[in-house]
Amino acid sequence: MSVMYIEGGVPLEGTWRVQGAKNSVLPILAGCLLTREPVRISNCPRLSDVDAAVDILHHLGASCSWEGEKLVVDARGACETSIDQGQMRAMRSSIMFLGPLVARMGEARVSYPGGCELGPRPIDLHLEALSTLGCQVQEQEGEILCRGRPRGGVIHFPFPSVGATENAMLCGVGADGDTTIVNAAREPEIVQLQQFLNALGAKVTGAGGSVITIQGGHTLHGGEVSVLGDRIVAATLLAAVAAAGGEVRVEGVDWRHLSTVLQLLEQGGCRVRSGVDSVWLRRDRYVPLRGGGCITTAPYPGFPTDAQAPVMAAFATARGTTIFQETMFSRRFGHVVGLREMGADISIRDQAAWVRGVPRLHGARVTATDLRGGGALAVAALGAQGQTILDGLEHIDRGYQDMEKMFGHLGAKMIRR
Ligand code: UD1
């Protein structure tokens, strides 16, 4: 197993075009099942989670091939109705195949999905949504069997779940009748999913707001989509500049998708400028960040739970105490163990992490235990004094494409061996 060697304390300088968003391409890949014609996906990130989705598509009978950074999916030959347990466990987003699979085949058999260990991650909202759309859902001995042609219906989500909203959209597009989703998630990735489905001939409106409506009964054709820039990778990069100092321009991301993160970094003393398709951030490495206040994670447009860990790593060396209140997942402070190894002063009470800024962190041997927690340890290591050896790269590779290349391009000393 390789590890990352990171030499900290080097300011980051330069420009980087951010990769396509993992959380956008995964539902798009599941949505490819809804058409019998080829779909070309450009700006597709090379990630192990994308490989896992491609594995599932192959298993179901679709063909997938890379043309440079474009992934071409042709699901004409899809004929399988069940997904292996191993494939389901490879990532959380494997559950996203359930809705389009039952819509396409009239039957889908899956097991519970895997993914980052962030506490219990139920799928009840996914299953209730599919049931509302007219599918018969049975659960027995860890297996989920979903049967019948979806008719459409009105789904009321008690909580705006991202994945359940996407699954409901994908199933609703394949349904015979119309679907309304009330209290839908409003993330930019949902807006992109709507754009993608409409480009294939679907009739979906309302994404980005709380009510999404879908006219069912349309046969989808092939098409092209360019995956939107990854706002969480962008947030990680900006947090790294806030931690190590320097001046970086991140291209390929819409600043409005990052506004809560940018506001916090600006309050902390970073200079931020936003363009149409880019964000520029500068931090004077001799002036520490200003901490203070309480950051509470929330569904979009609130502060993203996925940015909590990398941003916390930057505030570990801020002046003052910053509180991070996690409301989305019950075990999302896994990175705190590694940050403490590096000298951070953080205590956890219930769902809040109290980060008392220390003058500096030092290098250490630390292990990533989940994807964004891994991003946080890399951010901390880039700002720390001395060498960090970062383990658990299999988590990082799920969502950060060639992390060492990205930071290396900006002058960081980060080597995978
Ligand atoms: C997605 C993102 C993930 C992000 C999260 C919240 C993808 C691939 N992943 O995950 O990176 O951290 O949104 O922004 O897009 N819940 C239930 N029942 C369900 C579904 C969810 O109780 O059926 C709960 C979850 O346990 C969690 C909360 O709802 O507490 C939010 O989950 P959800 O929005 O569904 O997140 P994911 O789609 O899993």
Side-chain angles (χ1 to χ4, degrees):
M1 271 291 186
S2 47
V3 295
M4 206 83 91
Y5 291 83
I6 305 169
E7 206 62 57
V10 181
L12 302 175
E13 310 278 348
T15 299
W16 182 254
R17 177 156 284 270
V18 87
Q19 69 185 61
K22 167 181 92 71
N23 289 355
S24 195
V25 74
L26 295 176
I28 286 174
L29 286 169
C32 289
L33 281 178
L34 293 168
T35 170
R36 289 166 198 271
E37 294 180 18
V39 176
R40 306 171 86 79
I41 304 167
S42 58
N43 199 31
C44 186
R46 295 274 190 150
L47 302 167
S48 59
D49 268 12
V50 170
D51 293 341
V54 164
D55 243 27
I56 292 176
L57 283 165
H58 275 148
H59 166 84
L60 293 173
S63 79
C64 305
S65 55
W66 287 94
E67 289 175 3
E69 46 77 70
K70 266 193 197 157
L71 180 62
V72 184
V73 181
D74 188 342
R76 184 179 332 191
C79 55
E80 181 62 55
T81 56
S82 67
I83 301 176
D84 288 349
Q85 193 178 28
Q87 291 174 321
M88 286 302 295
R89 292 212 59 80
M91 62 170 173
R92 165 85 178 172
S93 289
S94 54
I95 195 63
M96 219 60 78
F97 284 88
L98 186 60
L101 192 56
V102 70
R104 163 98 183 238
M105 312 296 292
E107 182 178 312
R109 192 186 290 269
V110 302
S111 56
Y112 280 84
C116 283
E117 290 299 332
L118 308 175
R121 295 181 77 173
I123 52 167
D124 54 321
L125 302 178
H126 296 245
L127 302 185
E128 279 165 28
L130 300 188
S131 168
T132 304
L133 296 185
C135 305
Q136 293 106 51
V137 180
Q138 281 175 300
E139 288 177 80
Q140 47 187 324
E141 288 165 22
E143 208 181 58
I144 300 155
L145 177 61
C146 204
R147 273 210 189 111
R149 276 225 45 79
R151 295 183 302 264
V154 181
I155 298 164
H156 292 267
F157 280 127
F159 177 86
S161 153
V162 175
T165 300
E166 291 167 342
N167 226 338
M169 287 168 79
L170 292 167
C171 189
V173 162
D176 295 329
D178 297 347
T179 295
T180 304
I181 305 171
V182 181
N183 200 18
R186 296 186 285 160
E187 270 68 2
E189 292 76 17
I190 307 252
V191 177
Q192 168 143 80
L193 184 60
Q194 169 176 289
Q195 285 163 353
F196 164 67
L197 292 167
N198 288 345
L200 302 190
K203 298 277 179 283
V204 186
T205 54
S210 294
V211 181
I212 296 176
T213 50
I214 302 163
Q215 230 180 65
H218 294 274
T219 303
L220 301 197
H221 47 72
E224 294 221 17
V225 60
S226 175
V227 179
L228 99 165
D230 196 312
R231 62 195 167 100
I232 304 303
V233 173
T236 306
L237 232 169
L238 296 171
V241 185
E247 188 174 328
V248 166
R249 189 181 148 87
V250 183
E251 295 182 337
V253 69
D254 187 330
W255 70 270
R256 292 167 300 184
H257 298 165
L258 277 173
S259 61
T260 49
V261 173
L262 296 179
Q263 192 188 14
L264 179 66
L265 293 174
E266 208 162 19
Q267 278 167 6
C270 298
R271 289 187 57 200
V272 177
R273 267 192 242 133
S274 308
V276 180
D277 178 46
S278 66
V279 178
W280 171 91
L281 184 138
R282 177 167 188 273
R283 198 209 124 205
D284 182 338
R285 61 189 297 221
Y286 299 108
V287 183
L289 281 181
R290 275 190 307 274
C294 178
I295 293 101
T296 304
T297 62
Y300 190 83
F303 193 93
T305 171
D306 286 355
Q308 175 256 107
V311 170
M312 183 191 295
F315 279 83
T317 50
R319 229 183 253 144
T321 298
T322 314
I323 301 164
F324 290 83
Q325 181 94 35
E326 175 58 53
T327 66
M328 308 288 281
F329 296 104
S330 60
R331 287 210 305 268
R332 207 161 199 182
F333 291 135
H335 49 285
V336 167
V337 174
L339 293 180
R340 283 190 191 133
E341 294 282 329
M342 298 171 81
D345 180 359
I346 304 175
S347 52
I348 296 172
R349 285 182 224 154
D350 301 323
Q351 287 297 46
W354 293 62
V355 182
R356 285 171 291 275
V358 293
R360 66 189 61 82
L361 298 182
H362 54 78
R365 180 155 195 144
V366 291
T367 303
T369 55
D370 66 83
L371 166 60
R372 303 306 169 191
L377 296 180
V379 166
L382 289 165
Q385 258 181 1
Q387 189 186 64
T388 293
I389 301 175
L390 175 55
D391 222 329
L393 302 188
E394 68 279 12
H395 296 290
I396 289 179
D397 293 339
R398 289 191 35 229
Y400 294 97
Q401 175 178 314
D402 297 331
M403 183 190 257
E404 65 277 25
K405 189 171 160 198
M406 171 172 83
F407 285 121
H409 177 85
L410 300 171
K413 292 184 181 160
M414 190 183 265
I415 295 167
R416 185 187 294 245
R417 250 191 245 132

